[in-house]
């Protein structure tokens, strides 16, 4: 079975849950920006939750199926259509051989996950089928899809049409979005007033928001505690001697616009980090559109661990609901 790409949308890539274990070599984890949505889509069509699917941002692709398949679309509200007929989101539906899957306009959110029974069967690279476009690694020839591509699909089941994810399990960003942050090793580099302002201000997602990172603007500039820059650091107060960047860390070049490093971000560099977005909230970032109002919420390690535990419990409820 194959899927023919008639139109690639804006940016559509093959993604799974990523390739952990290579960050120390400069190769990011990668994978779906909204992992919960990708897991849910796969479970809806009977796949392993780590199977490869498609991730599309802002504009969906147009795909022709050569054989019958079970499909699910989760994540953003971008209604799917089969030969022009609207389908229900977060619900498994059938696509017959020769039919075309397309998408309506984006209504909310930013990214959809498209799962097909059997999974997208591109070659595995470093333990994952995820596309890392900057490194031309994984996915379909290491790049986003283009019209004329034909995606191989594994063998799957057509059972489960109509299976749906309960609405209570579908977590979406609020308005404003709230992202919980654990202050980091370099928190002391900014003044106490700047620390308070960072959490008090309302920020907005900038236009520079992609798989590598999300920039935010609109808050007050951070003031730094004066010091003599150490040997090896740049002249700007936001510069440090090169350090590792934790996944989800927030760097603030020049103290002006925070950047949250996401799935395809670099693993280190010379900018200080105010803290790290907790793992339980990373999926939410992938659903933020430019100009979305956002607040950062300070949490403790205990609160971060409790949030992770709750996220794991929600995954368990999802698995139980779709078993």
């Amino acid at each position: 079975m194959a899927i023919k790409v008639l139109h690639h949308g804006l940016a559509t890539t093959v993604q799974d849950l990523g390739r952990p274990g290579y960050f120390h070599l400069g190769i990011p984890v990668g994978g779906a920006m909204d992992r919960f949505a990708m897991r849910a889509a796969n479970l809806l069509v009977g796949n392993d939750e780590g199977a490869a699917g498609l991730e599309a941002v802002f504009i969906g692709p147009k795909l022709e199926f050569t054989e019958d398949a079970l499909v699910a679309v989760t994540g953003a509200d971008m209604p799917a259509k089969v030969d022009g007929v609207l389908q229900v989101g977060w619900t498994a539906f059938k696509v017959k051989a020769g039919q075309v899957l397309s998408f309506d306009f984006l209504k909310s959110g930013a990214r959809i996950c498209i799962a097909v029974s059997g999974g997208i069967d591109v070659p595995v690279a470093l333990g994952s089928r995820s596309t890392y476009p900057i490194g031309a690694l994984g996915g379909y020839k290491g790049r986003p899809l283009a019209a004329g591509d034909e995606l191989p699909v594994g063998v799957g089941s057509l059972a489960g049409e109509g299976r749906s994810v309960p609405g209570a399990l579908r977590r979406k960003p609020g308005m404003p979005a709230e992202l919980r942050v654990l202050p980091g090793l370099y928190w002391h580099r900014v003044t106490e007033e700047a620390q308070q302002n960072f959490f008090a201000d309302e920020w907005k997602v900038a236009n520079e928001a992609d798989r590598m990172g999300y920039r935010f603007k609109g808050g007050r500039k951070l003031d730094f505690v004066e010091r003599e820059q150490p040997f090896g650091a740049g002249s700007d107060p936001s510069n440090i001697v090169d350090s590792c960047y934790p996944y989800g860390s927030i760097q603030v070049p020049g103290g002006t616009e925070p950047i949250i490093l996401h799935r395809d971000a670099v693993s280190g560099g010379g900018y200080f980090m105010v803290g790290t977005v907790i793992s339980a909230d990373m999926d939410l970032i992938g659903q933020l559109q430019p100009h979305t109002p956002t607040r950062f919420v300070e949490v403790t390690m205990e609160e971060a661990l409790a949030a992770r535990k709750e996220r794991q419990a929600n995954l368990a409820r999802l698995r139980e609901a779709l078993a």
Side-chain angles (χ1 to χ4, degrees), residues 72-108:
V73 179
T74 59
D77 186 3
M78 187 190 299
K81 299 185 290 185
V82 176
D83 284 352
V85 179
L86 286 172
Q87 306 297 313
V88 180
W90 294 84
T91 301
F93 58 88
K94 284 185 179 178
V95 179
K96 296 180 180 179
Q99 289 190 314
V100 173
L101 174 66
S102 61
F103 294 87
D104 208 338
F105 296 109
L106 177 69
K107 299 181 184 300
S108 66

Side-chain angles (χ1 to χ4, degrees), residues 9-318:
L10 180 61
T12 304
T13 55
V14 176
Q15 300 293 343
D16 52 26
L17 299 182
R19 50 176 61 83
Y22 300 95
F23 206 36
H24 66 294
L25 300 176
I27 300 173
V29 173
M33 290 283 283
D34 186 343
R35 288 183 178 178
F36 182 86
M38 183 62 79
R39 290 178 188 271
N42 273 317
L43 291 173
L44 282 168
V45 300
N47 292 345
D48 180 271
E49 57 193 78
L54 299 178
E55 176 184 271
V57 57
F58 298 142
I59 300 174
K62 191 174 184 180
L63 310 170
E64 181 181 350
F65 286 68
T66 61
E67 294 183 19
D68 293 359
L70 194 65
V71 177
V73 179
T74 59
D77 186 3
M78 187 190 299
K81 299 185 290 185
V82 176
D83 284 352
V85 179
L86 286 172
Q87 306 297 313
V88 180
W90 294 84
T91 301
F93 58 88
K94 284 185 179 178
V95 179
K96 296 180 180 179
Q99 289 190 314
V100 173
L101 174 66
S102 61
F103 294 87
D104 208 338
F105 296 109
L106 177 69
K107 299 181 184 300
S108 66
R111 290 172 173 81
I112 55 171
C113 293
I114 309 167
V116 180
S117 50
I120 306 299
D121 195 20
V122 294
V124 174
L126 297 180
S128 171
R129 292 182 168 88
S130 284
T131 311
Y132 175 41
I134 301 298
L137 178 68
Y140 185 84
K141 300 182 179 180
R143 58 167 173 78
L145 302 185
D149 291 344
E150 293 195 7
L151 300 172
V153 178
V155 178
S157 171
L158 296 180
E161 182 180 12
R163 186 162 44 190
S164 182
V165 175
L169 298 181
R170 308 175 196 176
R171 187 177 174 214
K172 298 179 179 180
M175 186 61 70
E178 291 190 349
L179 301 176
R180 290 168 287 185
V181 175
L182 186 66
L185 293 175
Y186 300 94
W187 187 234
H188 66 283
R189 285 292 302 116
V190 295
T191 64
E192 184 175 340
E193 182 180 7
Q195 293 173 355
Q196 294 171 353
N197 292 344
F198 178 75
F199 289 115
D201 288 350
E202 183 174 275
W203 303 81
K204 287 189 177 181
V205 178
N207 291 330
E208 300 86 357
D210 57 25
R211 292 186 51 82
M212 292 188 69
Y214 263 61
R215 183 186 294 270
F216 294 80
K217 60 184 180 180
R220 283 168 283 187
K221 182 178 179 179
L222 303 182
D223 292 322
F224 290 86
V225 175
E226 291 188 10
R227 70 165 182 177
E228 181 180 346
Q229 287 293 90
F231 177 79
S235 59
D236 192 280
S238 65
N239 292 143
I240 57 173
V241 178
D242 282 9
S243 176
C244 298
Y245 288 156
Y247 166 66
S249 60
I250 308 172
Q251 59 178 223
V252 193
T256 57
E257 297 180 345
I259 302 171
I260 300 175
L261 303 184
H262 220 286
R263 306 292 186 205
D264 289 351
V266 296
S267 57
Y271 286 115
F272 96 111
M273 296 150 280
V274 293
T276 303
V277 175
I278 65 173
S279 60
D281 287 355
M282 289 299 289
D283 284 352
L284 295 178
I285 299 170
Q287 296 298 350
L288 300 182
Q289 298 180 11
H291 311 298
T292 300
T294 305
R295 288 188 179 276
F296 299 113
V297 179
E298 183 177 7
V299 295
T300 64
M301 178 63 77
E302 290 73 22
E303 290 170 325
L305 292 173
R308 185 173 69 176
K309 186 176 181 180
E310 174 54 31
R311 181 175 182 273
Q312 292 169 340
N314 200 46
L315 283 172
R317 289 190 285 268
L318 173 70

